[in-house]
Amino acid sequence: MIRVLIADDHPIVRSGLRAVLRGEPDLTIAAEAATAQDAIAKAGLADVVLMDLRFGDGPSGAQATAAITALPDPPHVLVLTTYDTDADILAAIEAGATGYLLKDAEPEDLVAAIRAAAVGRSALAPGVAARLVDRTRNPVGALSARETEVLGLVADGLSNLSISRRLHLSQATVKSHLVRVYAKLGVDSRTAAVAAATARGLIRPHR
Amino acid sequence: MIRVLIADDHPIVRSGLRAVLRGEPDLTIAAEAATAQDAIAKAGLADVVLMDLRFGDGPSGAQATAAITALPDPPHVLVLTTYDTDADILAAIEAGATGYLLKDAEPEDLVAAIRAAAVGRSALAPGVAARLVDRTRNPVGALSARETEVLGLVADGLSNLSISRRLHLSQATVKSHLVRVYAKLGVDSRTAAVAAATARGLIRPHR
DNA sequence: GGTCGCATCAATCGAAAGGTTGAGCTCTCG
DNA sequence: CGAGAGCTCAACCTTTCGATTGATGCGACC
């Protein structure tokens, strides 16, 4: 019997997951959590944690995942979320998630992924898997740390001059970085670069 | 008996909604739709449409809402989504949505909202309602529809020239809109405007 | 029936951003 | 140690953007 912990802040989603799992005789719901903290506290009760990435407030699902996998004899964490940006996926994988599913997955795929996760096998949504191999095999389009840093400040609305001051650079250097960023992203303006990088999950609009 | 149409591209959410509605004797599920087109086609079967705003592909929930409310003797549309930015809310309301609920709503609130929507009464999530009164009472800092539209294209990385073509305007008009946007947001560049508007939830980085 | 907000457009000017070329520096890796 | 990648900077030029001023038409509201 596989004990599952449902960690999601949406009552309706929890209800849907309950309904899906109820039909599976080898799966049982050990507990539910509506916050990341709650999920960490109840992680010991389960073999598999179904983890959302965004909660209304408090720590993120990625943080909770990291905390759970750091426990002694931790359950496997299967991320189940709506978001599929590079930033989200990488954060979750790096936090120790065993699998990564999207909420538009079919119920059959979900229960299959739970069973896989229970024995430590990883299950990835098709698009997610493609994105990962894409990135590890072909780091073209990957920005350097400095480029990402500069682009992040651009996304915050700073001018080249402001950025140069913030980073103790000359404007020429900031431009150089941006020129390379534009080339890598296939764009030709700062706003387009921000849009492209956001779309690819290279940077994240912080709210 | 209130006939409900569930329009959501996530099987798990649909399952959760089924579970919630099953417990209510005066509510019945007339149909389900996994795409916006499907929702429009099946709208005639229902008294209330539970409409998600984002579908994997194809038209958005807002567009579907507009199409449905344009039907003869249309059902009431109750938007049920995860997103609560000004842009989403306004688009839905302008499209003719009767209510706007967030997916972190409790089941009781949801069924209450459905009953309200069935008789044409509007039901808004607390945060959404606050945002609307905020905006109508104190329109300082609020962007007009056209300004929001232009700013959205700026956020997509388009140049003023591209925007003017997209909207069948002159560049001068685009600039005029942006000048007013900058003034309202207290910024002085397009990237800063995008950052500020994103932070305030006026626009959303769409992917 | 006038006022106000909104949307539309024009012309101009200085500032900022983008493109190009070229170069020096440090670090890592084989 | 040489090659390559990443980071740094300079000079120059073109394009775009932002600021300003001013104008027209339209609908809403009192």
Side-chain angles (χ1 to χ4, degrees):
Chain A
M1 183 68 90
I2 301 173
R3 298 168 300 156
V4 179
L5 167 62
I6 297 175
D8 198 300
D9 60 335
H10 294 170
I12 293 164
V13 173
R14 290 202 303 272
S15 175
L17 292 174
R18 273 198 302 270
V20 169
L21 300 190
R22 193 160 36 221
E24 308 298 322
D26 59 329
L27 304 181
T28 181
I29 298 172
E32 297 187 10
T35 67
Q37 294 102 325
D38 207 17
I40 299 170
K42 292 172 176 170
L45 303 173
D47 303 305
V48 174
V49 180
L50 282 184
M51 175 69 73
D52 192 9
L53 280 188
R54 314 259 167 133
F55 291 88
D57 43 47
S60 72
Q63 292 173 281
T65 300
I68 289 174
T69 54
L71 293 175
D73 188 27
H76 293 285
V77 176
L78 180 58
V79 170
L80 179 67
T81 185
T82 345
Y83 309 99
D84 68 340
T85 66
D86 282 22
D88 286 314
I89 296 170
L90 286 181
I93 301 290
E94 277 163 16
T98 301
Y100 198 108
L101 278 194
L102 297 180
K103 278 184 183 167
D104 58 4
E106 293 301 322
E108 310 91 75
D109 298 331
L110 172 61
V111 297
I114 293 176
R115 294 195 184 101
V119 295
R121 267 189 299 123
S122 79
L124 298 176
V128 172
R131 199 179 283 237
L132 273 183
V133 294
D134 224 50
R135 159 169 295 248
T136 54
R137 191 184 43 201
N138 180 20
V140 169
L143 303 180
S144 73
R146 199 58 158 170
E147 287 161 358
T148 304
E149 189 176 14
V150 170
L151 184 55
L153 293 176
V154 169
D156 287 346
L158 276 65
S159 68
N160 288 348
L161 178 60
S162 304
I163 295 172
S164 72
R165 284 206 268 255
R166 180 81 71 92
L167 299 181
H168 307 295
L169 299 175
S170 78
Q171 291 189 60
T173 304
V174 175
K175 284 188 175 188
S176 291
H177 287 305
L178 287 180
V179 164
R180 245 164 282 130
V181 168
Y182 299 159
K184 287 180 177 177
L185 296 180
V187 299
D188 57 0
S189 79
R190 53 211 293 110
T191 48
V194 170
T198 304
R200 298 190 203 175
L202 302 177
I203 59 173
R204 159 168 308 292
H206 56 217
R207 298 190 47 187
Chain B
M1 182 70 88
I2 302 173
R3 298 167 301 155
V4 179
L5 167 62
I6 297 176
D8 197 300
D9 60 335
H10 293 171
I12 294 165
V13 172
R14 291 201 302 273
S15 175
L17 291 174
R18 274 198 302 271
V20 168
L21 299 190
R22 194 160 36 222
E24 308 298 323
D26 58 330
L27 304 181
T28 181
I29 298 172
E32 298 187 9
T35 67
Q37 293 101 326
D38 207 18
I40 298 169
K42 293 173 176 168
L45 305 172
D47 305 304
V48 174
V49 179
L50 282 185
M51 176 68 73
D52 192 9
L53 280 189
R54 314 262 161 154
F55 292 88
D57 42 49
S60 71
Q63 292 173 284
T65 300
I68 289 174
T69 53
L71 294 174
D73 188 27
H76 293 286
V77 177
L78 180 59
V79 170
L80 179 66
T81 185
T82 349
Y83 308 100
D84 69 338
T85 67
D86 281 23
D88 287 314
I89 296 170
L90 283 184
I93 300 290
E94 276 162 18
T98 301
Y100 198 107
L101 277 194
L102 297 180
K103 279 185 183 167
D104 59 2
E106 292 301 323
E108 308 91 76
D109 297 331
L110 171 61
V111 296
I114 293 175
R115 294 195 183 102
V119 295
R121 266 189 301 124
S122 79
L124 298 175
V128 173
R131 203 177 279 237
L132 275 182
V133 292
D134 222 50
R135 160 171 294 251
T136 52
R137 193 182 39 203
N138 177 23
V140 169
L143 302 181
S144 73
R146 201 58 160 168
E147 287 161 358
T148 304
E149 190 177 14
V150 170
L151 184 55
L153 294 176
V154 168
D156 288 345
L158 276 66
S159 68
N160 289 348
L161 178 61
S162 304
I163 295 171
S164 72
R165 282 204 270 254
R166 179 80 70 89
L167 299 181
H168 307 294
L169 298 176
S170 77
Q171 293 188 58
T173 305
V174 175
K175 285 186 175 191
S176 290
H177 287 305
L178 287 181
V179 164
R180 246 164 284 127
V181 168
Y182 299 158
K184 286 179 178 178
L185 296 181
V187 299
D188 56 1
S189 79
R190 53 212 292 113
T191 47
V194 170
T198 304
R200 300 189 201 175
L202 302 176
I203 60 172
R204 145 190 314 292
H206 73 184
R207 340 187 14 241

